[in-house]
Amino acid sequence: MISIVILFLILIFLTVYFRLYLFVFPKNRLIILMYHQIEKESHEDLTVSLKSLEQQFEYLNKKNYTSKFFSELNTLGKKSIILTFDDGYKNNLDYLPSLLEKYDLKATIFIPTKFIQEGYKDYPMMSFEDIRSLNKKHFEIALHSHNHQNFRDISADSIKTDLETNMQILNNEGINYSKVLAYPYGKYPKKTVEKKKIFSVLKNLGIEFAVRIGNKVNYFPTNQPYELCRIDIKGKDSLLKFKLKLIFGRLKLF
């Protein structure tokens, strides 16, 4: 009898923790995936191979997932998903347009404007001209700060100035963007007081949503628009692991 009770409690915990109850309310289930680079071969976590990415996109298309822009969150369906790519790497331009068109998908690219202006490490980055050339049917541009500093390390005033710079540069370059922010490194202060200050900054700037990592499926609509979770897709993820992440988010077990 005790073992049955324990098993029941475990099932309840798993259902709540991984938000499996959302399968009963599919229109409230929102998956946001996080990617960075794309290369023909993957050698690191933040780079997915072209072959793996196509397998993942093919699977989403086959299973009738509908990709959305953040600007379309008022039109969610039963299998809504948002594909996001951080930083504006040149390889996104090289590989994404044809894949998104082939599998009838959309993607949001979060742009840290300093990376576009000055480069980032030795990685080839898109130019502002490249960003302007992206097909608006398949691409949405959004915010990733200007300097790409960890928001846990800088003040609310510095964050405000940084985001204003991020938006102003995009405006000056004639780039349309959604007022959605991907936190640099996926982080913001843990302390409630500091967190509220940052959320106040975002609200005053007209930012509608912000995404962290979190690695969970979202319930949407939400009363926490600045704490949406993304599921981190790694370069070494097998297709099976990808499928499991669509259900559970990221389990530490896999």
Side-chain angles (χ1 to χ4, degrees):
M1 182 64 179
I2 294 176
S3 60
I4 294 176
V5 172
I6 293 173
L7 179 60
F8 180 69
L9 291 174
I10 291 173
L11 288 174
I12 290 177
F13 170 77
L14 292 175
T15 299
V16 173
Y17 184 82
F18 294 111
R19 299 175 179 171
L20 300 179
Y21 57 85
L22 287 176
F23 281 105
V24 183
F25 310 101
K27 288 187 178 180
N28 297 115
R29 193 171 190 271
L30 175 62
I31 302 167
I32 307 176
L33 303 185
M34 180 177 74
Y35 296 90
H36 287 79
Q37 299 206 60
I38 311 161
E39 293 288 1
K40 289 185 179 180
E41 300 292 335
S42 173
H43 302 291
E44 55 184 56
D45 279 345
L46 296 184
T47 303
V48 63
S49 73
L50 183 58
K51 179 181 178 181
S52 292
L53 187 64
E54 178 151 20
Q55 287 177 336
Q56 292 166 11
F57 282 8
E58 183 179 24
Y59 178 78
L60 294 176
N61 180 272
K62 181 180 178 181
K63 294 299 180 180
N64 297 314
Y65 280 88
T66 302
S67 59
K68 297 284 186 178
F69 293 145
F70 284 93
S71 59
E72 300 174 317
L73 284 182
N74 61 335
T75 62
L76 294 186
K78 291 184 178 180
K79 284 190 172 182
S80 296
I81 192 165
I82 298 180
L83 307 175
T84 70
F85 289 79
D86 285 6
D87 301 336
Y89 296 101
K90 184 69 160 55
N91 49 47
N92 287 190
L93 177 67
D94 294 337
Y95 299 117
L96 269 180
S98 59
L99 285 180
L100 294 174
E101 183 176 357
K102 180 177 181 179
Y103 295 105
D104 192 25
L105 296 170
K106 301 175 180 180
T108 300
I109 298 185
F110 289 105
I111 299 296
T113 38
K114 186 176 182 179
F115 285 10
I116 307 303
Q117 288 180 326
E118 302 178 14
Y120 174 57
K121 297 183 178 178
D122 295 325
Y123 299 119
M125 308 300 291
M126 281 193 280
S127 67
F128 288 118
E129 183 177 354
D130 290 332
I131 295 170
R132 284 192 295 270
S133 74
L134 294 171
N135 187 335
K136 292 179 176 59
K137 178 181 177 181
H138 295 288
F139 288 94
E140 174 186 49
I141 301 303
L143 308 168
H144 200 25
S145 81
H146 175 64
N147 288 303
H148 202 272
Q149 291 176 279
N150 191 326
F151 279 14
R152 290 183 183 175
D153 300 332
I154 56 178
S155 68
D157 286 341
S158 296
I159 289 169
K160 177 177 180 292
T161 300
D162 181 90
L163 290 174
E164 286 174 337
T165 302
N166 193 195
M167 292 187 285
Q168 188 59 57
I169 292 172
L170 292 174
N171 288 333
N172 291 344
E173 291 291 339
I175 294 170
N176 295 322
Y177 60 91
S178 294
K179 286 196 171 181
V180 180
L181 169 70
Y183 296 108
Y185 306 101
K187 296 179 179 180
Y188 52 87
K190 291 182 178 180
K191 292 183 179 179
T192 302
V193 174
E194 296 301 318
K195 185 162 63 172
K196 285 183 176 179
K197 287 181 183 178
I198 291 176
F199 290 175
S200 178
V201 167
L202 301 187
K203 184 176 181 180
N204 290 335
L205 290 174
I207 291 174
E208 299 176 278
F209 302 104
V211 294
R212 57 191 181 112
I213 300 179
N215 281 308
K216 289 185 179 181
V217 173
N218 297 284
Y219 179 90
F220 196 89
T222 178
N223 60 1
Q224 297 177 312
Y226 300 140
E227 297 183 275
L228 290 175
C229 293
R230 291 196 287 175
I231 298 169
D232 190 6
I233 304 301
K234 300 288 191 181
K236 296 179 182 178
D237 286 350
S238 64
L239 185 58
L240 174 60
K241 187 178 286 189
F242 176 79
K243 294 176 183 179
L244 290 172
K245 284 185 173 182
L246 295 177
I247 299 171
F248 297 102
R250 183 171 65 85
L251 275 170
K252 291 183 179 179
L253 298 177
F254 57 82

